[in-house]
Amino acid sequence: VHFLFSFRAMASLSEEVLLVVKKVRQRKQDGTLYLMAERIAWGPEGKDRFTVSHLYADIRCQKISPDGKAKVQLQLVLHSGESTTFHFANESTALKDREAAKELLQQLLPKFKKKANKELEEKNRMLQEDPVLFQLYKDLVVSQVISAEEFWANRLGGVTNTDPAQYKYKQEVGISGAFLADIRPQTDGCNGLRYNLTADIIESIFRTYPAVKQKYNENVPHNLTEKEFWTRFFQSHYFHRDRINTGTQDIFSECAKQDEKGLKSMVVQGVKNPLVDLLSLEDKTLDEGYGVCGAQPSTSNSNRTVKESSNYAIIKRFNHHSAMVLAAGSRKGETSSTDGNSRDSDFFQPPVKKVKLQEEYEDLQQENRPKTVPLNLKKSDRYAHGPVPLQSQQYTTSQDIINSVNYIQHEMANYKPNLTQVLSSTVATSAISALSPGGVLMQAGAQQAINQMVPSEVQGELKHLYVAAGELLRHFWSCFPVNTPFLEEKVIKMKSNLERFQLTKLRPFQEKIQRQYLSTNLTGHLEEMLQTAYNKFHIWQTRRMMRKT
Amino acid sequence: MKLNIEGLLVYFPYDYIYPEQYSYMLELKRTLDAKGHGVLEMPSGTGKTISLLSLIVAYQRAFPLEVTKLIYCSRTVPEIEKVVEELRKLMEFYSKQTRESNNFLALALSSRRNLCIHPEVSSLRFGKEVDGKCHSLTASYIRAQHHSNPSFPVCQFYEEFDAVGRQVPLPAGIYNLDDLKDFGRRKGWCPYYLARYSILHANIVVYSYHYLLDPKIADLVSKELAKKSVVVFDEAHNIDNVCIDSMSVNITRRTLDHCQNNVDTLHNTIHKIKETDAAKLKEEYRRLVEGLKEANVARETDVYLSNPVLPDEILQEAVPGTIRTAEHFVGFLRRFLEYLKSRLRVQHVIQESAPQFLKDIYDKVCIDRKPLRFCAERLQSLLRTLEITDIADFSAATLISNFATLVSTYSQGFTIIIEPFEDRTPTIANPVLHFSCMDPSIAIKPVFQRFQSVIITSGTLSPLDIYPRILDFHPVTMASFTMTLARTCLCPLIVGRGNDQVALSSKFETREDFAVIRNYGNLLMEMSAIVPDGIVAFFTSYVYMENIVASWYEQGILENIQRNKLIFIETQDAAETSMALEKYQEACENGRGAILLSVARGKVSEGIDFVHHFGRAVIMFGVPYVYTQSRILKARLEYLRDQFQIRENDFLTFDAMRHAAQCVGRAIRGKTDYGLMIFADKRYARADKRGKLPRWIQEHITDGSLNLTVDEAVQLSKHFLRQMAQPFRQEDQLGLSLLTLEQLESEEMLQKIAQVAHQT
């Protein structure tokens, strides 16, 4: 149902409309869904405007309602976390409509996903993760005090400089070992099985079994629909590991073979750690035929029963599965973490083996490592069992309370002041007066009451101003010492930024608090900071002029 | 620190010492003083090796004429290398303390596969190939041919060694396998032959059991070692099986077919040589007539398996006339082969003794006992005369002739069992002739007789008195040492019931019982949720494990376990298992955690340690009894009963418990380590089973943990693990399980230590 025509209603800019689906409900309102070249839009019936419009680049993913549900729906999840649900209400063709929309979106979304710049995502993520940064961004960039580039140049650079590992290689999320267990089929009551597949599980399957991914890429959507593909996957003996491969018509039989090959090559490669290499563990000098059980029974595959070989297949598959999950978890390129002991070249004996051989009894030797503070547990039982709800016996009994009151009374009765050590009465009086409200030492007390004097909304604003000013000043001060032309340029720009900030942000704020008859003293410190910066700038500028002349 | 062990100054290369190490050395010294043999059990991870080395080296220095050499036998290559590294540490300590370089020579010896530096030969992967290839480059006639025709390939490393390597002894020092290779490369000498030559004058030799216990190899390698040596068998809990293995032979139809080919090749080669170089055969014949024991002057490189029988059983006579000429001998071999073939065409199981077999062979094909006894030797001579390069190809013929020699030499302690098919597959004909040794004392006897002190030691030798009985020797000391602990770092639990009160057991009747299998799965699942990092689970056999894994899979238990940890499973393929093992360690290392399903008596249970986080819990599913239906085992049990008065059940239980102890002991490798030991079978609670566990495990089994349900075990484990996770520092141990020199010398402590050794 692919239409290709121009939509006149969108008068201002004519866009190419790829698909129009009528009778689509959104928020219980009937309307029409339009899929255009760059966005998806929905307009209520009889109106000439769109009430819903999303750029494809904003859409993170689409979800569809399971087959068999009464309502045929399609949900769009945006990067911002919001979602929009469309209900296909045309009774006769609802499913077909939905499929058409889904298929088209499926083709369109990846294109736009690639467009969405990686860096942008990163910035977006940072803003989302850090509310303070987000506010700052709003204050400085949105209000055009500084440009976005300036904002990020410093930010991204600073972050990567301080802790490059954390951001450059963000730890990849591994795969659950039991992801196949999570799709345990549920019977739907009428002799069918239902598998719940989520994007995460599909991703896990692809990462663990690259062969399946390859099959998917080869077959979907040219030969099979996605649904057919997964249905076949679950039916294949590939998925059911205990079944021995017999048929060849199955598209997954090749996968099994590839896995087999992969497993074999892993085995042939051998292990890097000589201490776990069972092949070279023994100084084997018994030849074949010697020894009590020289002729090992049942090792040869020929005389295994069907059940035995199916059991063996399960075991092999489990080893393979675990190895693949493990490999998918560790980053690509970085092979097994333990060591790099290559077995074929014995010219190169890495120290790892030596170290492993020299493993000693560390407790027999003097400790050299820095002393750590041990956890001092008064009640190790409580630690071991975790927090336990307070129990009645842990309350002090009334007798205890009476006893302690008596004890304190007794203490007080016998209290004898040590009078030789106290201050003279005059000194004491002055100390008390100094510490009383209004006293010398309590001057700061008046200002501390700001949270009572100023409405919280002004306080919040002030806080934002401080953060923004701090950020700008940080930029400014980081230019000193100014020793490159780039920094020169920057410092001048920063100064003008500061001035702009003062003009567009600080002044209005000051005026506002004046209107509210609040003490203008509130912004005094901010002004002071700015003034210091200006002074510094002037000193620098005059010096520069002098040097030039 | 420097210790005073009953008047002997012992240098101990650490600042602290465990109390049990002190008493171990004490006991060891008494054994050496008495010039007798000893059986010493001390838990793994308490520094057994360094105690042994420190004391014996000190003894050697103090009484250089009494003890000239230490022969240290261990089981696996990594263990051998570890011993040498400990020794290196000790020697460094010596030279630091005495400020003089000592002239101690210590070295490890291993097979060619681990020592060869020839670029082509060492690239081969299997030991047999390496041996064969080495032989084809170094045999004396090859070298003679090279002499006349220099384009003939030889091994330049061996040539170099042969030319100059023997003139100057290996400089004093500690040589591990890699050090030997380095040295060999520097000098251009063959490290293998250098090592074999150097063990004669080395102060300490570290090698594998086989070099002493297998007569085929011992005769070549260890023949000339001094009698005043101390021999140590470390990890000796399985020594009886090593002895038996070295004397047993199995013959299948395939062996016979191979042998047939070998005999044909021999026949053809003889013909060829007769036409070209008849003198050679005549010369051999002349030598055999003269009764020279070896028809050619056998060079060290010519044979790689010597006579399979023990030295004092080898006849010092001339080879009998019937097999002296090459053709006659080949004819003789043919006849013998045909006879064996006819014996393998049986429909039912036959068991007979060696004399019965000899009588039968005499009746049927008129083969006498005497020529049979010379069979192995005669074949060696012939192979040398014929200048057969690829000896590895002749392994089948060698096997048959070794069998001939063995069966005609020993009338006692061996049995012959011919089985037409495997028990589990009665329809598939696969006849096997087992010639199996039932008496481990036969192989080890010469060792006890020859060397003045033999120390048998391991972490698990309980019950101690059974080893002297089955190995037939009289120790002067027998002692079991426990592990002094500042905190109870091992937690043995016996889980006898499931949560539904079903009795858990791997015994034959309940083997297929779903309730038991499900409860076992439940146990593993619960444990996987609470134990950090690695869990190792052992099953009683491969078949049992495969069945359980399959039904766990069907019931979805494995999938639930996978939510907590990755699962790796041992298979019968060693390479595959190695990979699984490495991945398992990787998963433990990166924090994901993993479970290794393994088999008692398998390779993993014997040779791999699971230190620290590699094994926080070991679960033993069932009691690992040996497969009792095996006829070989039945014959052995009968023999043990008749000869040594050991009851069948006692031996079976002993054998099962030593393997169980080995399995669970894999997880505790020191006092700073900790781990759960879960015995999942109600039979472990019985006194006869429990009593056969090593003392250091036994004493931590409380009466309350004898018959736990899965839930109770989980509760106890949680508590244990949380406590163990607390930091454990040296100060916590000091004075209790770790001593400074001053503490050791205090009167009070010495008394305490005296109680540690458990005399039996």
Side-chain angles (χ1 to χ4, degrees), chain B residues 18 44 77 131 174 178 225 230 327 363 396 409 469 496 505 518 560 747 749:
Chain B
Y18 300 137
S44 47
V77 178
D131 288 350
I174 312 296
D178 290 336
L225 295 183
V230 174
E327 289 111 321
D363 289 348
T409 304
R469 276 160 82 190
S505 175
R518 192 189 57 238
N560 285 325
E747 197 62 37
M749 188 53 77

Side-chain angles (χ1 to χ4, degrees), chain B residues 237-354:
Chain B
H237 46 271
N238 249 348
I239 195 165
D240 52 327
N241 290 332
V242 177
C243 293
I244 282 174
D245 275 346
S246 68
M247 305 286 282
S248 301
V249 172
N250 302 288
I251 296 169
T252 60
R253 202 170 263 168
R254 217 176 49 154
T255 328
L256 295 182
D257 292 343
H258 279 283
C259 188
Q260 185 69 54
N261 291 339
N262 289 165
V263 173
D264 291 344
T265 321
L266 283 178
H267 183 77
N268 294 339
T269 323
I270 289 170
H271 261 280
K272 234 181 276 162
I273 285 207
K274 243 190 169 168
E275 284 157 18
T276 55
D277 197 1
K280 221 181 237 171
L281 290 173
K282 280 199 189 116
E283 167 70 12
E284 188 203 22
Y285 181 79
R286 194 185 56 76
R287 281 174 186 275
L288 290 173
V289 173
E290 281 173 9
L292 293 177
K293 205 182 131 273
E294 300 199 356
N296 283 345
V297 194
R299 308 300 301 259
E300 59 178 354
T301 50
D302 283 357
V303 272
Y304 73 85
L305 282 187
S306 180
N307 206 316
V309 296
L310 300 159
D312 44 355
E313 303 283 355
I314 294 171
L315 293 182
Q316 306 292 330
E317 306 173 25
V319 174
T322 44
I323 55 171
R324 247 178 241 163
T325 66
E327 289 111 321
H328 286 171
F329 178 61
V330 170
F332 173 85
L333 269 185
R334 279 232 162 96
R335 230 165 351 130
F336 184 57
L337 200 58
E338 285 311 318
Y339 172 74
L340 287 179
K341 279 185 185 164
S342 76
R343 290 303 303 267
L344 281 188
R345 278 192 288 271
V346 286
Q347 298 302 318
H348 55 95
V349 179
I350 293 172
Q351 181 172 0
E352 61 188 18
S353 66

